[in-house]
Amino acid sequence: MSVSSPSTSSPASPSASPATGSVPTQAELLDFVRRTAADAELLASLPLDPQDRTWVRLDGPGGSEAWLIGWPPGTGTGWHDHAESVGAFLTAAGELKENALAVRLPTDGWQTLELTEGVDRERRLPAGQGRAFGHHHVHEVLNGSPDRHAISVHAYYPPLPRIRRYSRSGQVLRLEQVERPEDWQ
């Protein structure tokens, strides 16, 4: 498994490697993040910053994009999706919380959406727990600990073509920004 140089801020992929062999399934991505999270030497190699997320890029299965991410206490992603990519992530150390929406959003052409009651889902993901998700999965991931870093492993296929970022006020979700790989270089 190869690893790129550590970075801080938001993870992103400046280039995507073509898929070699078959397209990885959500289950295969989840298996990959589970096996990777068990690599104590890899986890120990991730530099942890006291204020900003840190990460290293990993080679995922079948040309997928993968990341090892360090989460300082109190940090999170904000609401976002991974567009056409499917993915999986697993907490390797500490605990993360995922807030997600159990609704498929329109793919394009909207700025503001009124959410119906009952679409919110919350998952606590202690070390060793993770999940796979499908296309257009809207969520936010948080390290709610006041004093402990968390570490997680993420994998996406195809490599992220874009990330849509949202703001949320009550039941109103607003599209704020669309990021593309060239924005991450």
Side-chain angles (χ1 to χ4, degrees), residues 97-128:
K97 179 175 93 166
E98 179 195 38
N99 294 319
L101 299 177
V103 63
R104 185 173 176 107
L105 299 181
T107 56
D108 288 304
W110 64 278
Q111 291 291 356
T112 303
L113 190 65
E114 180 92 21
L115 301 170
T116 59
E117 294 293 326
V119 299
D120 289 294
R121 302 292 183 266
E122 179 180 308
R123 289 178 181 84
R124 298 237 173 246
L125 301 166

Side-chain angles (χ1 to χ4, degrees), residues 3-4 6 39-48 54 56 58 68 151:
V3 177
S4 69
D39 184 339
E41 186 176 330
L42 179 63
L43 298 182
S45 74
L46 179 66
L48 299 177
T54 55
V56 292
L58 308 172
L68 176 66
I151 298 175

Side-chain angles (χ1 to χ4, degrees), residues 55-142:
W55 65 84
V56 292
R57 173 91 189 256
L58 308 172
D59 289 332
S64 63
E65 177 174 352
W67 299 94
L68 176 66
I69 301 176
W71 303 76
T75 59
T77 61
W79 288 96
H80 68 283
D81 72 16
H82 305 101
E84 296 81 23
S85 296
V86 298
F89 71 101
L90 184 128
T91 305
E95 180 175 286
L96 293 173
K97 179 175 93 166
E98 179 195 38
N99 294 319
L101 299 177
V103 63
R104 185 173 176 107
L105 299 181
T107 56
D108 288 304
W110 64 278
Q111 291 291 356
T112 303
L113 190 65
E114 180 92 21
L115 301 170
T116 59
E117 294 293 326
V119 299
D120 289 294
R121 302 292 183 266
E122 179 180 308
R123 289 178 181 84
R124 298 237 173 246
L125 301 166
Q129 296 293 308
R131 70 179 312 257
F133 53 86
H135 304 282
H136 305 286
H137 174 70
V138 178
H139 68 164
E140 67 176 348
V141 180
L142 309 158

Side-chain angles (χ1 to χ4, degrees), residues 139-162:
H139 68 164
E140 67 176 348
V141 180
L142 309 158
N143 176 6
S145 172
D147 57 4
R148 186 169 180 211
H149 268 79
I151 298 175
S152 59
V153 181
H154 303 246
Y156 311 99
Y157 188 87
L160 296 172
R162 62 185 174 149

